[in-house]
Amino acid sequence: MSAGDRPSPADDKLDRGVLKIASVVVVGAIMAILDTTVVNVALQQLTLEFETSFDTIQWVATGYMLALATVIPVTGWAADRFGTKRLYMLAIVLFLVGSVVAGMAWSIESLIAFRVVQGLGGGMLMPAGMTIMTRAAGPQRVGRVMAVLGVPMLLGPIAGPILGGWLVDSVSWRWIFYINVPIGAVALYLAWRLLPKDEPQPAGRFDFPGMLMLSPGLALLIYGVSDIPAAGGIGETSVWLPMSLGIVLIAGFIVRALRVENPLVNLKLFRDRTFSIAAITMSLFAIAFFGAMLLLPTYFILVRGETALQAGLLLAPQGLGAMVMMPIAGRLADRTGAGKIVLPGLVVILAGLAVWAQAAADTPYWLLMVSLFVLGLGMGSSMMPIMSAALQTLTKKDVAQASSALNIIQQTAGAIGAAVMSIILAALLAGKFGVETSQGQVAATAALQNPQTHDAAAVLAADSFASTFVWSLLLVALCIIPALFLPKRPPAAPPVGDDEGAPTPPMLAH
């Protein structure tokens, strides 16, 4: 872009053409982000529907998150190879197909498989949409573009659980997937009519061998971990064999990635001290926080006897807290340095989790609501500043690859967190109710539904949840160690991205 083509301050606002494009991307983003939150309140209903355990049902969420992580690095290459408009429309179609077949699922295995299809489409929607909007608005208006995309990111955690709860209670769990069809149809039509045509560009060779090692490796590792409760221990073949194969594939990917050009994930980025520290902090944070968030609606439904809709409404304070703090934390991190924002944010999260680590069957609702709002404030103070810290010392040409790497880390760690917290809860419930690990939640549900055993069962179930949240609290406390080394000074340069540089893909927080 020449100097004469640059927008003047008077042209700094998003014009009508850009706003049209933004409307397309926001509709797609709403569909993808809502789907990551509506499912959580339905997990208890799905556990009963398919007569399975929580450590199995969590794969409905984990499989989706793993698929997101798998497809993120593919998106940038595919956008150049096939054009962003074609890729965006393909992502919508893939997401819609996954939604329809997920709604038609006849078993837990089929539902998990169809959620993976959904995740492959959903994972491409946000990065592709961000690329389209950034190209339309120009690098000088990326901040305004991010503000527009921030709307569904902030509203998703509030509206998703409420919508999901209403659908589960009033219609059917299948409609948490079917609801995507009308939204997706609108997004597809708008994309066809409003998005500018773009021609495919020359793209470098895609690292297919790397993808064939990393993606199955992560899936096998997490599958093995998640099977520990059902199998009865790590010594069982169904546990150690997939875990071992996963570790071998991941190790093979690491060795290869350090030797080839244009690997799927550029591991040389980890030579940057600040990036490595931020990546470690992000990993621990995602395992602890996203794993714990998966359990919150189940506590309200299982222990407190709330409906799915009521559980969704009760989770709203967390989304409100994040919505209040995210824009404030972003501005403060730019002015004072990310480390000065992340550390207080982690302390705030610890304060919120401390309440849940002592939650009983009769803990006052006002106290739980306050703690959820506090958790939201802490999450809003931590997520984006950690990513900003990771990127602030990198060169412009490395930012796109670094953003993809951080997205993969976040999604994978979140999936591991969901699996680990589900394992801990399943084992604790089984121990309290004297059954096999895979039957812990079923036994707890049966005891809670029996008026004669309800009160005693509620105490036992609440104690199991509280003990699980203790583990989450300890992991967040561990985050403080690497967070101590995050930058405590403002970035030396303005936000990365210029006329030649690639835009920074947004973090897709769940």
Side-chain angles (χ1 to χ4, degrees):
M1 181 181 290
S2 66
D5 294 329
R6 296 178 187 277
S8 65
D11 297 327
D12 228 16
K13 294 183 179 179
L14 299 180
D15 55 59
R16 187 174 180 182
V18 175
L19 289 174
K20 285 183 178 180
I21 294 171
S23 67
V24 181
V25 177
V26 166
V27 172
I30 287 173
M31 181 175 65
I33 294 173
L34 277 179
D35 205 74
T36 64
T37 55
V38 296
V39 172
N40 285 357
V41 296
L43 292 181
Q44 173 67 8
Q45 177 64 32
L46 292 173
T47 302
L48 300 175
E49 179 77 20
F50 293 112
E51 299 180 351
T52 186
S53 61
F54 195 80
D55 58 296
T56 299
I57 208 68
Q58 58 86 20
W59 271 95
V60 175
T62 301
Y64 183 88
M65 294 169 71
L66 272 180
L68 287 174
T70 301
V71 81
I72 286 167
V74 181
T75 306
W77 174 85
D80 287 337
R81 178 65 179 82
F82 303 107
T84 52
K85 180 173 181 176
R86 293 177 185 175
L87 180 66
Y88 193 74
M89 294 180 70
L90 173 64
I92 294 173
V93 170
L94 196 57
F95 190 88
L96 286 179
V97 170
S99 297
V100 171
V101 292
M104 299 168 62
W106 55 88
S107 66
I108 185 58
E109 292 81 10
S110 64
L111 178 58
I112 292 169
F114 297 147
R115 281 283 284 168
V116 170
V117 175
Q118 248 193 329
L120 293 175
M124 289 188 287
L125 278 171
M126 284 299 289
M130 181 62 187
T131 302
I132 292 168
M133 283 189 64
T134 305
R135 288 179 179 176
Q140 291 82 3
R141 298 184 287 184
V142 169
R144 287 174 173 77
V145 166
M146 287 296 289
V148 172
L149 280 181
V151 173
M153 287 183 180
L154 292 172
L155 295 180
I158 302 173
I162 296 172
L163 176 62
W166 176 75
L167 289 171
V168 169
D169 287 344
S170 302
V171 191
S172 164
W173 66 265
R174 298 183 185 276
W175 275 92
I176 64 175
F177 303 113
Y178 290 151
I179 193 66
N180 293 320
V181 176
I183 302 174
V186 171
L188 191 62
Y189 174 77
L190 291 176
W192 173 60
R193 289 296 304 269
L194 300 179
L195 291 185
K197 293 181 179 179
D198 58 339
E199 295 299 325
Q201 303 172 2
R205 180 177 295 179
F206 182 68
D207 185 17
F208 281 106
M211 186 181 73
L212 293 175
M213 286 189 283
L214 182 60
S215 300
L218 292 171
L220 286 167
L221 175 62
I222 297 176
Y223 176 81
V225 171
S226 68
D227 198 48
I228 291 174
I234 198 170
E236 297 297 321
T237 305
S238 63
V239 175
W240 68 260
L241 182 59
M243 285 179 63
S244 300
L245 288 174
I247 292 170
V248 168
L249 286 171
I250 293 170
F253 169 80
I254 292 172
V255 171
R256 183 179 180 278
L258 292 172
R259 296 180 178 180
V260 301
E261 293 184 13
N262 300 317
L264 187 68
V265 178
N266 184 6
L267 298 181
K268 294 177 182 177
L269 293 168
F270 290 91
R271 294 174 181 172
D272 183 279
R273 178 177 176 273
T274 302
F275 180 83
S276 296
I277 290 170
I280 293 169
T281 309
M282 176 65 72
S283 300
L284 291 172
F285 178 83
I287 291 172
F289 192 78
F290 293 127
M293 294 311 98
L294 191 72
L295 305 181
L296 289 173
T298 307
Y299 165 85
F300 284 121
I301 295 170
L302 185 64
V303 178
R304 307 304 288 260
E306 303 292 351
T307 64
L309 174 58
Q310 289 167 336
L313 290 168
L314 288 167
L315 291 174
Q318 183 189 342
L320 290 171
M323 185 169 65
V324 168
M325 185 52 65
M326 281 182 72
I328 298 173
R331 288 195 296 269
L332 290 176
D334 286 341
R335 293 177 182 175
T336 65
K340 293 181 179 179
I341 307 302
V342 174
L343 281 170
L346 293 175
V347 172
V348 169
I349 290 174
L350 288 175
L353 282 175
V355 174
W356 288 93
Q358 303 176 65
D362 57 355
T363 301
Y365 273 101
W366 69 263
L367 181 59
L368 296 179
M369 297 302 97
V370 171
S371 71
L372 284 172
F373 184 75
V374 169
L375 283 172
L377 293 175
M379 193 273 279
S381 302
S382 305
M383 279 292 300
M384 295 307 289
I386 291 173
M387 186 180 185
S388 298
L391 301 178
Q392 75 178 52
T393 57
L394 298 178
T395 60
K396 293 179 181 180
K397 66 182 179 63
D398 289 332
V399 167
Q401 288 185 321
S403 299
S404 294
L406 285 172
N407 272 279
I408 294 169
I409 289 169
Q410 182 207 356
Q411 299 299 334
T412 304
I416 292 173
V420 169
M421 293 302 164
S422 299
I423 289 168
I424 295 171
L425 178 62
L428 287 169
L429 285 172
K432 296 287 185 183
F433 289 91
V435 296
E436 293 183 2
T437 305
S438 60
Q439 297 299 310
Q441 192 169 1
V442 175
T445 302
L448 285 162
Q449 290 177 344
N450 185 339
Q452 295 180 338
T453 58
H454 174 272
D455 291 346
V459 172
L460 295 176
D463 187 57
S464 299
F465 276 90
S467 299
T468 306
F469 283 115
V470 169
W471 285 97
S472 179
L473 188 148
L474 292 174
L475 284 170
V476 173
L478 279 178
C479 291
I480 292 177
I481 298 174
L484 288 169
F485 300 94
L486 290 173
K488 295 181 178 63
R489 295 180 180 178
V496 179
D498 59 11
D499 295 354
E500 290 78 30
T504 302
M507 287 296 278
L508 186 56
H510 300 309

